[in-house]
Amino acid sequence: MKSMGSASLVRITDRNYHDLLTNEDYSLVIFLTASSSRVGCVLCAEMMPKYAQMATSYYKNLRSSTSFPVEDTQDSEEEKARFVVAYADFGECQEFFQGLEISSVPKIYYYAPGKAVHMASPTDEYRFIGDESAQNFGEWILSHSEKSDASLFKVVETPDYQSMFLTIFAILGFAVAFYRHSDKVFAFIYNKKLWRAACMILSILFCSGYMYNNIRGTEFTGKGKDGEILYFSPSQQSQYGAETQIISVVYAFLAVGVILILDTNRKLTDPKLRFIANLAASVTVYFLYAYLLSCFRVKSGGYPFKLLSFA
Amino acid sequence: MLFSVDSEGYVRVSGSLLAAFKLLLETAIFVSISFAAISSRLFSVVRFESIIHEFDPWFNFRATKYLVSHTFYQFLNWFDDKTWYPLGRVTGGTLYPGLMVTSSVIYELLHKIGLPIDVRNICVLLAPAFSSVTSLATYLLTLEISDTVGGLRHRKTAAFFSAFFMGIVPGYISRSVAGAYDNEAIAITLLMVTFYLWIKAVRHGSVFYGALTALFYFYMVSAWGGYVFITNMIPLHVFILLLMGRFSYKLYTSYCTWYVLGTLMSMQIPFVGFLPIRSNDHMSALGVFGLLQLVLLANYLKRLLTPEKFHRLMIALGALVLSVGISGLVLATKMGLIAPWTGRFYSLWDTSYAKIHIPIIASVSEHQPTPWAAFFFDQNFLIWLFPVGVFLCFQDLSDEAVFIIVYSVLASYFAGVMVRLMLTLSPVVCICAGLTIGRLFGIYTDFRESISSKARKASGEIFNSLSKILVASSLLFYLYYYVQHCTWVNSSAYSSPSVVLASRNPDGSPALIDDFREAYYWLRMNTAEDAKVMAWWDYGYQIGGMADRTTFVDNNTWNNTHIAAVGKAMAVDERKSEVIMRRLGVDYVLVIFGGVLGYSGDDINKFLWMVRISEGIWPDEVTERNYFTQGGSYKIDDTASPTMRNSLMYKMSYYRFGDLYRGGDPVDRVRQQKMSAGYAESIHLDILDEVFTSENWIVRIYKLKNKDNFGRDLIELGEQERKHLGKKTLRKKTRTKPSLDLRV
């Protein structure tokens, strides 16, 4: 148990939670979260880094404090005031969550030493207000122990050097490239075709529900009743990631088809060739539109219209 | 001679006759577009009756009635003591008056010319009437755009098509059916007119059109909070034109005229006040205004100075302006001179913002992101013609075409983030699709060459005609299908008033469920005029509008604590609730209960929001977890958690629910849960008297009992009574109908 009390943020899984809960010496703090996109818990994703920051700074403070490391086998008074700071992800330990009997995440449970055996009744539970900082968590934990040292919970900001350097290098690189090849960059910026394509792609993407996937973090595909893979969610109010891809491609081809019909008049002079091109484009547009309708019928049950029936 | 036949057999018609014929045809097209636009919005009137829909329109209706019966200044200073009891609401200063003023002006005009039409009918039919104006504005706007887009042989074709699309596009009808008396009803019209005038101003660089743009912008500001879209759209257009190096004095004139006049006028609306110079939503307009002055200065200097000097000066000036501007902005925000970016603005850019920080926004279904099916549902085949229109706008990138491009990308992003902003996307989709179809028709329905005798001899002409017939017929088919789709969507999805519900009798004949009006009418006729009715905020406007009684909270959710107090009174047990209700001064409590009929939008389903909102204020007294069973499910049957079972909302909903089933086990049809008959009978209420339950039990009204004359505790009294009376007599007692069961 000692090693656990002094390492770092403990990750609970179905294998280790039993040992952790039966420990008698330490106060236990558990952050219960669900990071899987299936659950779609936004608050969990918000809070986890802050909690982790609190935990790492706690352990860092602990390590730098004088009483550490303690060599003797007997736990000192000071050590008993320490906390085990842990977190559990629903995806990794469903058995543990069943034991807790909770229905919503995120939660932070505090167990006084020896109390963790009664999983479902924690000593205290943290109330989220929505815009916590790591400091809030630390203060809350601190409020449960008279012995513990407040300075241990001082949040240590660890600058993310890696991303800092990356950003600086990227900016420098761009600046140099811009300076060296400014004429090419300008040609790129002034390219009308590029902007045209970008605007069309953007509007197609937004109209095929790209933002919905982004905001909701939807699954790419779903599962039907018999376990088969569903590419289209059967409800009009929801969708899978695959749908956006399929539909945006359909939209793009439809748009290209119409543009072809528009342009044949200008580009092809031979009437026969023009007719063939028009025929091909019109038939493609018709089939794609029919396919689009059949996709829509999957989602909207009572929709009465169709062009062709696709299996 | 008006016409003659020439040697080749062609009919030659004189110019004046042709012009007259053209005018007649155009008018006929317009009349039919307006007819289609208005009639496809009348489904709800035909099917139900001329009635105001949903929730917010009831407030607008009530405010309009107030305006019609009072003077305009009284309306602006209106302090409404019938809502938010006991706080009241400064209604005149917290609403957008445009809608009410519009309908009251129409009302006065009609009365002046001797047509005594009821206010309600004007309010109901305002949105369809304005929709035909929207088609006209769309026509004019598209005409301006298509002037500058090359390759359009018949530019009016494109404009007519876009007007026709706009008339019946479901994305717009969703907010403008007859009875949807909401700000959006006139706002989209104003949006289109403002944009049309703006394009006109940019084309001609005219102060006149700039001033007109400002005038309609002012009207828009007075009508809808979404005016911010224009406030950012026009500066963005100008900014992009500047980036493209297209500064011109026309642009300068029109923008400055619009900005100065528009800002000054918009500040006259009490609710807007000083926002245009303080809130960051409006800063882009100010910034572009400043930028234009600098560009003007630079243009002037360029003429005076040598290129070298000018270059150096520009760099120095640019750095100076940038640093001063940024530091000024930061400083002003820090000092609190500029309001911080408002929450709604954040929720558009940072998509997860609203969910965490503004639960009351997150709880509204209108603010959800849009899946693709909704786009198709609301636009049909226009949605895949839309990118082609953007493509066409790029062909000769005129200043006006840039506007459409910017509008399309911006609006499609916003519509993707928030369902309700589909409304601002619809016009541009119609314009782009109109441009595309107009272009296609210009090419493929032109059979002049094939008919003329010379071409008939040419070899490939048959193929030319064939391809024209092919494309034209497929387009006609898609158009036909578009009309079918729109009609189906409008009649099946967007024409329910939600005050009256449609259902079917067992034999399949249509039936109306009119519980809401029945209950509100009962309130109006049977309670004291100053009675205070407590209900969840969704029904505040309806109670105010239909029952004319004082409410505690309503759909204008300006005071979260007050809402939480009502939520708490519903969520806690009788003893605690009595204290809260006496303190608030409650006379009646109204609950919506759908368990009998299977009406899923009832209060038990909304109950968790009440719990959550009151938990936000009183976390020690209300805890969401306690309303779930041990297993974590939301139950209302025998296994419901004790907190749930004791909550006032639960008791009010299920009180005497068992009586309906005459000893059988009652079933809640919304939640599909069955409770035992004995348990259902044990649900009792001590502090409230049931005074009214509507025909299908959707609305139930309770009266808070008066305090006991001997000062005894009502709950203890109830306990004693239950103990003393035998089971049989208790049953008999609960069976007696309340004395106030007057159904009129």
Side-chain angles (χ1 to χ4, degrees), chain A residues 46 192 196 206-207 215-216 236 239 243 251 261-262 264-265 271 274 278 286 289 293 303-305, chain B residues 351 356 368 371-372 375 377 380-381 383-384 391 394-395 412 439 443-444 460 464 467 478 481 485 488:
Chain A
E46 276 260 306
K192 199 166 100 180
R196 180 190 262 181
F206 291 142
C207 290
I215 292 171
R216 290 284 162 84
Q236 207 178 316
Q239 66 176 24
E243 282 177 50
Y251 281 166
I261 296 175
L262 276 173
T264 48
N265 216 40
R274 200 193 294 168
N278 269 336
Y286 185 82
Y289 190 25
L293 274 184
Y303 191 66
F305 308 114
Chain B
T351 45
I356 298 156
Q368 306 304 320
W372 76 267
F375 279 100
F377 191 69
N380 192 250
F381 85 128
I383 203 72
W384 52 264
F391 175 88
F394 265 100
Q395 247 170 9
S412 53
R439 180 89 178 265
I443 299 169
Y444 289 101
N464 256 344
S467 53
Y478 295 146
Y481 170 69
H485 174 94
W488 180 78

Side-chain angles (χ1 to χ4, degrees), chain A residues 5 9 17 19 30 33 40-41 45 51 67 76-77 92 124 136 168 174 203-204 238 253 271 288 292-293 299:
Chain A
L9 181 57
Y17 81 88
D19 294 340
I30 308 180
T33 180
C41 171
Y51 183 78
S67 62
S76 67
E77 262 314 290
E92 292 165 344
D124 193 16
N136 291 95
I168 290 173
F174 274 122
S203 53
I204 287 176
S238 65
F253 274 106
L288 281 171
L292 183 67
L293 274 184
K299 301 186 68 74

Side-chain angles (χ1 to χ4, degrees), chain B residues 684-738:
Chain B
H684 55 82
L685 270 170
D686 293 327
I687 58 166
L688 298 170
D689 267 331
E690 182 189 9
V691 288
F692 178 82
T693 295
S694 63
E695 188 185 349
N696 299 297
W697 282 56
I698 289 187
V699 187
R700 309 193 69 183
I701 302 173
Y702 293 87
K703 187 178 191 309
L704 183 62
K705 278 183 191 165
N706 292 331
K707 274 187 180 162
D708 186 56
N709 283 341
F710 299 103
R712 287 172 297 181
D713 186 35
L714 285 175
I715 296 168
E716 269 170 31
L717 219 59
E719 295 283 337
Q720 280 170 16
E721 222 168 297
R722 269 191 298 283
K723 216 180 280 171
H724 288 305
L725 291 173
K727 211 155 191 202
K728 252 184 188 168
T729 35
L730 179 74
R731 281 188 70 131
K732 214 169 152 194
K733 195 178 166 298
T734 48
R735 279 282 162 79
T736 44
K737 290 226 163 179

